PDB file of all heavy atoms in Angstrom:
ATOM      1  N   ASN A 160      98.623 341.152  95.906  1.00  0.00           N
ATOM      2  CA  ASN A 160      98.948 342.485  96.404  1.00  0.00           C
ATOM      3  C   ASN A 160      98.099 343.607  95.828  1.00  0.00           C
ATOM      4  O   ASN A 160      98.565 344.728  95.579  1.00  0.00           O
ATOM      5  CB  ASN A 160     100.453 342.818  96.112  1.00  0.00           C
ATOM      6  CG  ASN A 160     101.389 341.763  96.613  1.00  0.00           C
ATOM      7  OD1 ASN A 160     101.241 341.267  97.721  1.00  0.00           O
ATOM      8  ND2 ASN A 160     102.347 341.383  95.800  1.00  0.00           N
ATOM      9  N   ILE A 161      96.784 343.300  95.675  1.00  0.00           N
ATOM     10  CA  ILE A 161      95.907 344.271  95.125  1.00  0.00           C
ATOM     11  C   ILE A 161      95.178 345.059  96.163  1.00  0.00           C
ATOM     12  O   ILE A 161      94.311 345.926  95.925  1.00  0.00           O
ATOM     13  CB  ILE A 161      94.852 343.522  94.208  1.00  0.00           C
ATOM     14  CG1 ILE A 161      94.217 344.493  93.202  1.00  0.00           C
ATOM     15  CG2 ILE A 161      93.781 342.831  95.047  1.00  0.00           C
ATOM     16  CD1 ILE A 161      93.336 343.763  92.200  1.00  0.00           C
ATOM     17  N   THR A 162      95.486 344.808  97.454  1.00  0.00           N
ATOM     18  CA  THR A 162      94.709 345.308  98.563  1.00  0.00           C
ATOM     19  C   THR A 162      94.585 346.822  98.623  1.00  0.00           C
ATOM     20  O   THR A 162      93.491 347.361  98.718  1.00  0.00           O
ATOM     21  CB  THR A 162      95.316 344.825  99.936  1.00  0.00           C
ATOM     22  OG1 THR A 162      95.457 343.397  99.881  1.00  0.00           O
ATOM     23  CG2 THR A 162      94.416 345.244 101.086  1.00  0.00           C
ATOM     24  N   PHE A 163      95.713 347.562  98.509  1.00  0.00           N
ATOM     25  CA  PHE A 163      95.671 349.021  98.732  1.00  0.00           C
ATOM     26  C   PHE A 163      95.861 349.812  97.442  1.00  0.00           C
ATOM     27  O   PHE A 163      95.443 350.987  97.408  1.00  0.00           O
ATOM     28  CB  PHE A 163      96.734 349.404  99.750  1.00  0.00           C
ATOM     29  CG  PHE A 163      96.565 348.757 101.109  1.00  0.00           C
ATOM     30  CD1 PHE A 163      97.500 347.797 101.563  1.00  0.00           C
ATOM     31  CD2 PHE A 163      95.512 349.042 101.894  1.00  0.00           C
ATOM     32  CE1 PHE A 163      97.319 347.201 102.792  1.00  0.00           C
ATOM     33  CE2 PHE A 163      95.298 348.461 103.121  1.00  0.00           C
ATOM     34  CZ  PHE A 163      96.231 347.497 103.604  1.00  0.00           C
ATOM     35  N   TYR A 164      96.440 349.229  96.434  1.00  0.00           N
ATOM     36  CA  TYR A 164      96.720 349.991  95.233  1.00  0.00           C
ATOM     37  C   TYR A 164      96.673 349.053  93.985  1.00  0.00           C
ATOM     38  O   TYR A 164      97.158 347.940  94.053  1.00  0.00           O
ATOM     39  CB  TYR A 164      98.030 350.675  95.307  1.00  0.00           C
ATOM     40  CG  TYR A 164      98.421 351.493  94.080  1.00  0.00           C
ATOM     41  CD1 TYR A 164      98.104 352.850  94.020  1.00  0.00           C
ATOM     42  CD2 TYR A 164      99.068 350.947  92.955  1.00  0.00           C
ATOM     43  CE1 TYR A 164      98.388 353.653  92.902  1.00  0.00           C
ATOM     44  CE2 TYR A 164      99.345 351.698  91.876  1.00  0.00           C
ATOM     45  CZ  TYR A 164      99.017 353.016  91.822  1.00  0.00           C
ATOM     46  OH  TYR A 164      99.311 353.825  90.751  1.00  0.00           O
ATOM     47  N   TYR A 165      96.036 349.530  92.931  1.00  0.00           N
ATOM     48  CA  TYR A 165      96.142 348.853  91.652  1.00  0.00           C
ATOM     49  C   TYR A 165      95.905 349.820  90.509  1.00  0.00           C
ATOM     50  O   TYR A 165      95.267 350.861  90.701  1.00  0.00           O
ATOM     51  CB  TYR A 165      95.120 347.698  91.591  1.00  0.00           C
ATOM     52  CG  TYR A 165      93.688 348.092  91.765  1.00  0.00           C
ATOM     53  CD1 TYR A 165      92.986 348.776  90.782  1.00  0.00           C
ATOM     54  CD2 TYR A 165      93.002 347.798  92.940  1.00  0.00           C
ATOM     55  CE1 TYR A 165      91.643 349.135  90.938  1.00  0.00           C
ATOM     56  CE2 TYR A 165      91.680 348.187  93.117  1.00  0.00           C
ATOM     57  CZ  TYR A 165      90.998 348.855  92.140  1.00  0.00           C
ATOM     58  OH  TYR A 165      89.725 349.207  92.322  1.00  0.00           O
ATOM     59  N   GLU A 166      96.411 349.467  89.373  1.00  0.00           N
ATOM     60  CA  GLU A 166      96.130 350.148  88.097  1.00  0.00           C
ATOM     61  C   GLU A 166      95.881 349.069  87.005  1.00  0.00           C
ATOM     62  O   GLU A 166      96.632 348.110  86.940  1.00  0.00           O
ATOM     63  CB  GLU A 166      97.284 351.013  87.618  1.00  0.00           C
ATOM     64  CG  GLU A 166      97.382 352.378  88.277  1.00  0.00           C
ATOM     65  CD  GLU A 166      98.504 353.228  87.687  1.00  0.00           C
ATOM     66  OE1 GLU A 166      98.281 353.802  86.566  1.00  0.00           O
ATOM     67  OE2 GLU A 166      99.586 353.278  88.289  1.00  0.00           O
ATOM     68  N   PHE A 167      94.905 349.315  86.157  1.00  0.00           N
ATOM     69  CA  PHE A 167      94.652 348.428  85.032  1.00  0.00           C
ATOM     70  C   PHE A 167      94.619 349.249  83.732  1.00  0.00           C
ATOM     71  O   PHE A 167      94.133 350.368  83.715  1.00  0.00           O
ATOM     72  CB  PHE A 167      93.279 347.768  85.149  1.00  0.00           C
ATOM     73  CG  PHE A 167      93.220 346.621  86.142  1.00  0.00           C
ATOM     74  CD1 PHE A 167      92.898 346.922  87.498  1.00  0.00           C
ATOM     75  CD2 PHE A 167      93.452 345.320  85.810  1.00  0.00           C
ATOM     76  CE1 PHE A 167      92.811 345.893  88.412  1.00  0.00           C
ATOM     77  CE2 PHE A 167      93.409 344.319  86.717  1.00  0.00           C
ATOM     78  CZ  PHE A 167      93.111 344.579  88.031  1.00  0.00           C
ATOM     79  N   ARG A 168      95.174 348.621  82.691  1.00  0.00           N
ATOM     80  CA  ARG A 168      95.069 349.163  81.364  1.00  0.00           C
ATOM     81  C   ARG A 168      94.592 348.100  80.417  1.00  0.00           C
ATOM     82  O   ARG A 168      94.984 346.929  80.564  1.00  0.00           O
ATOM     83  CB  ARG A 168      96.437 349.716  80.868  1.00  0.00           C
ATOM     84  CG  ARG A 168      96.978 350.849  81.663  1.00  0.00           C
ATOM     85  CD  ARG A 168      98.136 351.518  81.009  1.00  0.00           C
ATOM     86  NE  ARG A 168      99.230 350.605  80.617  1.00  0.00           N
ATOM     87  CZ  ARG A 168     100.503 350.992  80.443  1.00  0.00           C
ATOM     88  NH1 ARG A 168     100.836 352.251  80.597  1.00  0.00           N
ATOM     89  NH2 ARG A 168     101.421 350.111  80.127  1.00  0.00           N
ATOM     90  N   LEU A 169      93.685 348.414  79.494  1.00  0.00           N
ATOM     91  CA  LEU A 169      93.255 347.414  78.531  1.00  0.00           C
ATOM     92  C   LEU A 169      92.623 348.110  77.289  1.00  0.00           C
ATOM     93  O   LEU A 169      92.311 349.292  77.348  1.00  0.00           O
ATOM     94  CB  LEU A 169      92.246 346.460  79.172  1.00  0.00           C
ATOM     95  CG  LEU A 169      90.910 347.053  79.703  1.00  0.00           C
ATOM     96  CD1 LEU A 169      89.835 347.055  78.653  1.00  0.00           C
ATOM     97  CD2 LEU A 169      90.400 346.248  80.885  1.00  0.00           C
ATOM     98  N   LYS A 170      92.483 347.353  76.263  1.00  0.00           N
ATOM     99  CA  LYS A 170      91.823 347.821  75.021  1.00  0.00           C
ATOM    100  C   LYS A 170      90.733 346.847  74.686  1.00  0.00           C
ATOM    101  O   LYS A 170      90.797 345.648  74.990  1.00  0.00           O
ATOM    102  CB  LYS A 170      92.848 347.921  73.900  1.00  0.00           C
ATOM    103  CG  LYS A 170      93.987 348.855  74.118  1.00  0.00           C
ATOM    104  CD  LYS A 170      95.015 348.797  72.978  1.00  0.00           C
ATOM    105  CE  LYS A 170      96.197 349.673  73.269  1.00  0.00           C
ATOM    106  NZ  LYS A 170      97.234 349.580  72.220  1.00  0.00           N
ATOM    107  N   PHE A 171      89.646 347.343  74.006  1.00  0.00           N
ATOM    108  CA  PHE A 171      88.652 346.439  73.548  1.00  0.00           C
ATOM    109  C   PHE A 171      87.987 346.920  72.270  1.00  0.00           C
ATOM    110  O   PHE A 171      88.059 348.077  71.962  1.00  0.00           O
ATOM    111  CB  PHE A 171      87.547 346.225  74.650  1.00  0.00           C
ATOM    112  CG  PHE A 171      86.716 347.404  74.981  1.00  0.00           C
ATOM    113  CD1 PHE A 171      85.615 347.745  74.206  1.00  0.00           C
ATOM    114  CD2 PHE A 171      87.020 348.189  76.092  1.00  0.00           C
ATOM    115  CE1 PHE A 171      84.799 348.840  74.563  1.00  0.00           C
ATOM    116  CE2 PHE A 171      86.278 349.275  76.425  1.00  0.00           C
ATOM    117  CZ  PHE A 171      85.156 349.604  75.656  1.00  0.00           C
TER     118      PHE A 171
END
Side-chain angles (χ1 to χ4, degrees):
N160 305 319
I161 201 174
T162 306
F163 300 112
Y164 181 90
Y165 58 74
E166 277 185 80
F167 285 89
R168 296 192 307 202
L169 61 89
K170 299 174 183 176
F171 67 84

